[in-house]
Amino acid sequence: MAEVKCLTYPAQLYEDILNCASLDRTSKVLEIGIGMGQATKPFLDTGCLLTAVDADEKAVSFCKEIFGENPCFSAVVSRFEDFEGEQAAFDLVYSASAFHEIDQAEGYNKAFALLKSGGVFVRFSNHAMRSIARPSLSSALQKLYSIYLPRTGTPRPYKEAQAQKRAEIALKYGFTDISFKRYYQTRTYSTEEFLDHLATDADHLQMSETKRTAFFNEIRKTLEHYGGKVTLYDTIDLQIAKKP
């Protein structure tokens, strides 16, 4: 496993995508849910015309600061469901850890309509487990989550059958040539790095400030008790599908 500090996606993932979706300066690409732009640069580097859409105005502003000098980049503040893009115009429509937030039928049908014939739809997302090599720490953290954020459930290994089942959803909406793959990596954080990481996560941001502060204080105490480090074990699943 390669070890990385923050949530980035493996170079091999982008290589596999670009082997299926050959992009050049004439290609039009749509990114659904740009977030902080973690999955944008590898596509921009192909010279394609990339439009990003995200409902979070702050995220769009942040990414415009990062990529705004590139004339091939543009970003729109909008829910994907409300995005008024040109039909059958895009060579690639992709989403990194955001497509699950969209109604399944609406999301797939809209992506299909926006793609050219022969265009490629790509979805990838991360499934992280906390310190599986240190079960006592993992158990202690999960106990805190069961108290403060029970809706997140217990992280479990993301299996091949799950990745295949998720990828094949696209068949219901007219896509063909379905493929899927999983990638693995680890990230090791100090206590404060881990808390900074959690502070960017949507589930944690939705907590009240008082509850989140208490939760983070408990996490801080737990991590310091176990040596001040936590490792996340990532499984990233990739889905690729084509429009006939």
Side-chain angles (χ1 to χ4, degrees), residues 57-73:
E57 186 174 353
K58 290 183 179 178
V60 170
S61 296
F62 177 80
C63 291
K64 282 183 176 180
E65 289 183 13
I66 298 175
F67 305 114
E69 293 185 3
N70 187 328
C72 296
F73 175 80

Side-chain angles (χ1 to χ4, degrees), residues 7 32 61 88 95 102 105 132 144 152 155 204-205 216 224 229:
L7 178 54
I32 303 168
S61 296
S95 182
I102 302 167
I132 55 177
L144 291 176
T152 59
H204 298 82
L205 288 172
F216 281 17
E224 290 306 304
K229 289 188 182 296

Side-chain angles (χ1 to χ4, degrees), residues 23-31 43-52 70-74 89-92 94:
L23 304 179
D24 57 31
R25 295 182 183 279
T26 67
S27 303
K28 295 184 68 175
V29 173
L30 178 67
E31 179 175 6
F43 296 101
L44 272 179
D45 285 346
T46 67
C48 70
L49 301 170
L50 190 149
T51 301
N70 187 328
C72 296
F73 175 80
S74 62
F90 291 90
D91 299 277
L92 171 67
Y94 78 96

Side-chain angles (χ1 to χ4, degrees), residues 89-106:
F90 291 90
D91 299 277
L92 171 67
V93 173
Y94 78 96
S95 182
S97 298
F99 201 69
H100 64 280
E101 298 176 358
I102 302 167
D103 174 78
Q104 183 186 111
E106 191 169 4

